[in-house]
Amino acid sequence: MRWLTDLKIATTNLKAAKTRTALTILGIVIGVASVTAVFAIGEGAKNLVRGQINQLGDDIVTVRPGKLAINQANTLLSSGVLPTFSASTITEHDFDTLKGVPHVAQAAPFMFVTGSIAQDKNQASGSIIGTTPDCSQALGLGLRAGEFVNDKSDRQTVVLGHQLAVDLLGTDVVIGQTIKLRGQEFTVIGILKPFDSSIAVSNAVDLNHAAFVSMQAAKGFNQGIAQIQQITVKTDNAKQTTQVANDARNALLNNHGGEEDFSVLRPQDAMQVTDQFFRAATNFISAVAGISIIVGGIGIMNIMLVSVTERTREIGIRKSVGATNRQILWQFLIEALVMSIIGGIIGIVAGYACAYLVSTAFGFLPGFTLGIILLSLMIGLGVGILFGAWPAMKAARKDPIEALRYLQ
Amino acid sequence: MQPAIEIFGLSKMFGVGDATTVALDNLTLTIERGEFVAIMGPSGSGKTTLMNILGLLDTPTHGEYYLESKAVADLSPVRRAKLRRDHIGMIFQNFNLLNRTSVIENVALPLTYKGTGKTQRLTAASRLLQTFGLNEREYYMPYQLSGGQLQRVAIARALVSKPAIILADEPTGNLDTKSSEIIMEELADIHRQGNTIIMVTHNPDVAIYADRIIQMIDGRIATDSKHPDKELDSDAKRPLNSFRKALEAAAKANEQYADATEVMTESLTPKKARKRRAAKTAKKRKAKK
């Protein structure tokens, strides 16, 4: 029960200097809150990426132009430059080759066309994507109404993403209406279900804002030449994904004369860039959060040092009635710990509130795990011990005679 | 019966080299159990240093110290803290109570450090406060009490762990005459119950409550007068005449010493001279009062 007495002494002393205690706790709150927020947002982002892999299914292989260098420290910005500035290295012939790879169920090309999407004077922002009928199956796109693109039709037809239809026409009941893509008239034959957009599938394009046309129509915008930015390959068996990826790579290498100017990505590969981005961001913000927690700790140390000097006489009295150095040490250390535990708990709550605000603004939920809470609490406690120890030792080492002589 | 305190050849030096001051000079002293000893002497004569060493707050430079026949001069700080807690009760001139702690918790403080359970230590503190007539003020804060009451709280704290010796350093120094008398009656009572009390004082009126007076000068014992008939005399409220004579003699010796130092002043080192002069002015100020 000794520690209970120590705890009571500590709380009494903390209550006696309310403002000072509150300000010190605030320092710890800010430190722990920032750490918690960073961890929670990072965890949330990781969950988001993982969720997309799961949602996408582990049976998808994505082929993109350009060599994506993975597993290097500085890959963050090195990918995607080639496909942006030069013509795509993937051809319709590659698409046909991929369809022939064993265990491939469906393959769907994406040909991105830049251009306006309009009806009368209304314009909406979105992407025009040329693809094949297989696409809806390969990506698991559900139709809210109508049918998907059909390359056999000679008409100029388009399937709209749900949000694009609403933005452009004010409603999602638009089958049969006519809109203009790059000034050409297209008839809406289908509306997609709202789609939880996945970075890996769509190459960072929001499918809810996409207008799907047939490859034929897309090539029509590009002087009859196909410009494929992505081919999504769905395997018939999730266990074969790696096998299919290897086969696809070999087949394409064959097509490209041994030059690897494309990337074949399994879901986890495709996620790697996103993952790396989040990790780098988390690391950076963690460093900032770390600084704030050190500042909080120095605040505790500062207050404790003042407190020790102010209470020199009290220390002398306690020692004169038989308190050992260790008991004095504990008294002051417990004060620091009480402050850092209270600050830690408030900080975790505040950190989660903060993480919630930030991450919902970006469209995901913060990760809420016991590990993060424990870690934040441990950091708070660690700061209390680390920065409370020196003042407490100073108090414990005071000479009782000198301390009793100290004038208050 | 074994003595409460024995010290042999005890010396305490402060400073190093030429700046060395001798606070206690080869002191040898035995205090029996149940004695009420008053230590008198001019400022700088080593009284407080002796009290600090007896109270295990300080360690001697040389010499031996036996507390209840146990050598305690060279113990570790932890052992000394524990002895202080369990065997020594200290009473100070300025009370030295914790300002932010209630009266009863102040009294129970030594037991707190001993690890006694809350109920037990508060009961013990409460019982003691009752004997001092303070049972209605248990949960007052120290600033709500008068000086005399504060000193009684401090005495209760000194007694709570049933110590072997009680050390009182000028217990009436901050009190008016009436409160001083009450405090001294309390101490005399405690003494009659068989406690050993060692008290430092400047005031002869306070010293007469003791049954042995030690006069210290320059870190040495100048006179040590013990009243032969007063040994644990529980009926005696006032010291007998012969004892009063010894007391007056001690006071006289003190004054003579002060006069002698004035003549010697020139031949002393400046530092020592300053110290002696300070002692003398303090004495005069006291006389004026």
Side-chain angles (χ1 to χ4, degrees):
Chain A
M1 295 307 269
R2 261 223 51 81
W3 63 271
L4 213 72
T5 313
D6 289 339
L7 197 68
K8 196 170 166 282
I9 292 171
T11 47
T12 312
N13 287 327
L14 293 176
K15 272 186 216 151
K18 282 195 185 73
T19 317
R20 215 171 56 188
T21 307
L23 285 175
T24 315
I25 290 178
L26 183 67
I28 291 293
V29 166
I30 292 172
V32 172
S34 51
V35 170
T36 311
V38 167
F39 284 148
I41 293 172
E43 186 70 19
K46 231 185 275 172
N47 286 346
L48 177 75
V49 173
R50 264 189 231 124
Q52 284 178 357
I53 296 179
N54 291 340
Q55 167 211 336
L56 176 63
D58 43 7
D59 54 355
I60 296 284
V61 173
T62 309
V63 180
R64 286 181 191 164
K67 176 87 183 92
L68 184 62
I70 300 175
N71 297 332
Q72 285 172 20
N74 58 351
T75 51
L76 200 56
L77 297 174
S78 69
S79 66
V81 174
L82 187 64
T84 310
F85 294 114
S86 66
S88 172
T89 52
I90 297 178
T91 62
E92 276 186 292
H93 176 54
D94 292 333
F95 173 57
D96 292 333
T97 310
L98 285 175
K99 279 200 283 193
V101 170
H103 295 296
V104 169
Q106 286 104 24
F110 267 16
M111 175 171 171
F112 293 103
V113 179
T114 33
S116 60
I117 302 170
Q119 192 210 28
D120 294 337
K121 280 167 191 157
N122 280 347
Q123 281 229 347
S125 59
S127 335
I128 304 168
I129 301 171
T131 188
T132 59
D134 278 350
C135 178
S136 72
Q137 268 199 303
L139 293 180
L141 299 176
L143 279 167
R144 168 160 279 203
E147 54 183 290
F148 202 65
V149 290
N150 179 354
D151 51 358
K152 301 211 168 49
S153 164
D154 56 348
R155 280 196 304 172
Q156 301 272 69
T157 56
V158 62
V159 175
L160 296 181
H162 179 257
Q163 195 56 47
L164 179 63
V166 173
D167 286 356
L168 189 64
L169 304 166
T171 168
D172 56 0
V173 190
V174 291
I175 306 285
Q177 291 205 39
T178 310
I179 62 166
K180 280 189 173 172
L181 303 178
R182 286 182 67 124
Q184 296 182 30
E185 288 201 341
F186 280 76
T187 306
V188 179
I189 57 164
I191 299 293
L192 294 176
K193 278 185 182 162
F195 187 76
D196 203 358
S197 178
S198 157
I199 296 161
V201 176
S202 58
N203 209 354
V205 167
D206 185 356
L207 297 183
N208 290 326
H209 280 96
F212 289 93
V213 298
S214 66
M215 277 304 283
Q216 230 27 59
K219 281 198 284 184
F221 289 128
N222 198 30
Q223 298 159 344
I225 301 162
Q227 270 285 357
I228 297 173
Q229 272 81 16
Q230 176 175 315
I231 298 172
T232 305
V233 176
K234 191 180 171 75
T235 61
D236 58 7
N237 182 351
K239 284 175 192 154
Q240 301 294 334
T241 310
T242 304
Q243 179 65 36
V244 169
N246 286 338
D247 290 349
R249 181 171 166 271
N250 291 334
L252 291 183
L253 270 180
N254 200 30
N255 278 3
H256 290 237
E259 180 73 26
E260 192 163 0
D261 53 1
F262 58 88
S263 311
V264 179
L265 305 169
R266 291 167 299 160
Q268 54 266 47
D269 301 330
M271 283 303 157
Q272 201 143 358
V273 177
T274 326
D275 216 30
Q276 266 172 354
F277 171 74
F278 280 128
R279 206 170 297 158
T282 306
N283 286 348
F284 174 71
I285 305 169
S286 297
V288 178
I291 291 169
S292 65
I293 208 156
I294 287 173
V295 172
I298 291 171
I300 277 206
M301 185 152 75
N302 200 353
I303 294 299
M304 293 301 296
L305 283 174
V306 171
S307 172
V308 166
T309 309
E310 223 180 49
R311 286 154 60 191
T312 302
R313 194 185 186 82
E314 180 196 320
I315 295 166
I317 294 171
R318 288 181 185 281
K319 285 195 162 188
S320 76
V321 301
T324 60
N325 286 5
R326 181 173 299 201
Q327 283 166 332
I328 298 289
L329 180 90
W330 270 112
Q331 184 196 327
F332 281 87
L333 207 54
I334 284 175
E335 266 180 46
L337 287 183
V338 166
M339 283 198 280
S340 51
I341 289 175
I342 293 174
I345 291 169
I346 299 174
I348 288 170
V349 174
Y352 263 110
C354 204
Y356 185 80
L357 285 180
V358 171
S359 56
T360 44
F362 286 99
F364 63 93
L365 283 173
F368 190 87
T369 65
L370 194 65
I372 291 175
I373 291 172
L374 285 180
L375 190 69
S376 300
L377 211 55
M378 294 293 278
I379 288 174
L381 263 179
V383 166
I385 293 172
L386 197 71
F387 292 98
W390 184 51
M393 275 193 282
K394 233 181 127 174
R397 284 193 193 135
K398 275 195 190 295
D399 174 27
I401 297 169
E402 287 294 319
L404 280 173
R405 218 175 279 157
Y406 186 85
L407 293 175
Q408 250 164 343
Chain B
M1 196 164 66
Q2 51 175 222
I5 285 174
E6 287 173 291
I7 53 178
F8 298 110
L10 199 76
S11 297
K12 179 71 181 178
M13 262 86 92
F14 292 110
V16 280
D18 286 347
T20 304
T21 319
V22 180
L24 293 178
D25 188 4
N26 203 15
L27 214 65
T28 297
L29 176 67
T30 304
I31 293 171
E32 301 293 341
R33 282 191 189 186
E35 273 191 306
F36 187 171
V37 181
I39 299 175
M40 299 183 75
S43 300
S45 60
K47 306 182 302 283
T48 303
T49 307
L50 178 62
M51 287 298 257
N52 284 340
I53 291 175
L54 291 180
L56 294 171
L57 290 171
D58 208 349
T59 49
T61 315
H62 308 291
E64 291 162 68
Y65 172 15
Y66 297 92
L67 177 64
E68 299 198 298
S69 304
K70 199 176 157 202
V72 293
D74 301 315
L75 289 180
S76 69
V78 181
R79 300 280 298 281
R80 278 193 281 137
K82 284 182 178 164
L83 281 173
R84 214 150 56 218
R85 187 186 72 193
D86 298 338
H87 296 284
I88 297 167
M90 293 186 110
I91 300 163
F92 301 90
Q93 180 175 4
N94 51 6
F95 323 128
N96 276 340
L97 298 170
L98 297 178
N99 291 332
R100 291 198 291 242
T101 310
S102 67
V103 163
I104 192 165
E105 287 282 5
N106 258 301
V107 173
L109 198 62
L111 297 181
T112 310
Y113 284 112
K114 201 173 182 174
T116 311
K118 188 170 182 173
T119 323
Q120 219 178 328
R121 66 170 192 260
L122 290 188
T123 314
S126 179
R127 202 177 297 138
L128 264 173
L129 281 170
Q130 197 160 10
T131 65
F132 286 102
L134 288 166
N135 47 326
E136 279 171 14
R137 292 189 161 70
E138 282 178 357
Y139 287 94
Y140 279 42
M141 298 307 265
Y143 56 81
Q144 293 169 305
L145 300 184
S146 71
Q149 288 170 329
L150 286 176
Q151 196 58 298
R152 274 183 281 161
V153 173
I155 294 172
R157 181 182 65 186
L159 288 173
V160 77
S161 56
K162 299 189 176 68
I165 56 168
I166 291 162
L167 301 174
D169 194 350
E170 304 248 13
T172 59
N174 273 356
L175 300 177
D176 57 78
T177 324
K178 194 158 181 295
S179 302
S180 293
E181 252 173 51
I182 295 169
I183 290 299
M184 288 319 296
E185 289 296 341
E186 300 281 12
L187 283 178
D189 253 352
I190 292 162
H191 170 233
R192 273 193 289 275
Q193 285 156 21
N195 286 293
T196 313
I197 302 176
I198 301 161
M199 173 178 70
V200 162
T201 184
H202 273 117
N203 189 348
D205 290 340
V206 167
I208 53 173
Y209 286 88
D211 55 17
R212 180 179 172 189
I213 293 180
I214 294 171
Q215 183 77 28
M216 282 185 72
I217 290 173
D218 261 354
R220 278 174 282 113
I221 294 173
T223 61
D224 186 349
S225 43
K226 192 170 176 179
H227 192 270
D229 305 330
K230 204 179 165 268
E231 210 167 316
L232 292 178
D233 183 354
S234 56
D235 294 330
K237 274 265 173 185
R238 288 268 150 182
L240 299 174
N241 269 340
S242 55
F243 182 60
R244 187 179 280 278
K245 270 180 200 156
L247 183 71
E248 277 160 5
K252 210 172 172 188
N254 200 9
E255 253 157 51
Q256 279 167 355
Y257 162 81
D259 290 341
T261 50
E262 199 171 30
V263 184
M264 287 161 68
T265 305
E266 325 247 302
S267 61
L268 293 169
T269 59
K271 195 177 175 181
K272 268 198 169 170
R274 216 182 303 128
K275 212 170 110 193
R276 296 235 165 128
R277 235 181 335 235
K280 197 170 167 341
T281 39
K283 194 101 200 129
K284 275 186 179 162
R285 220 179 287 134
K286 229 172 174 71
K288 264 181 208 163
K289 267 187 202 166

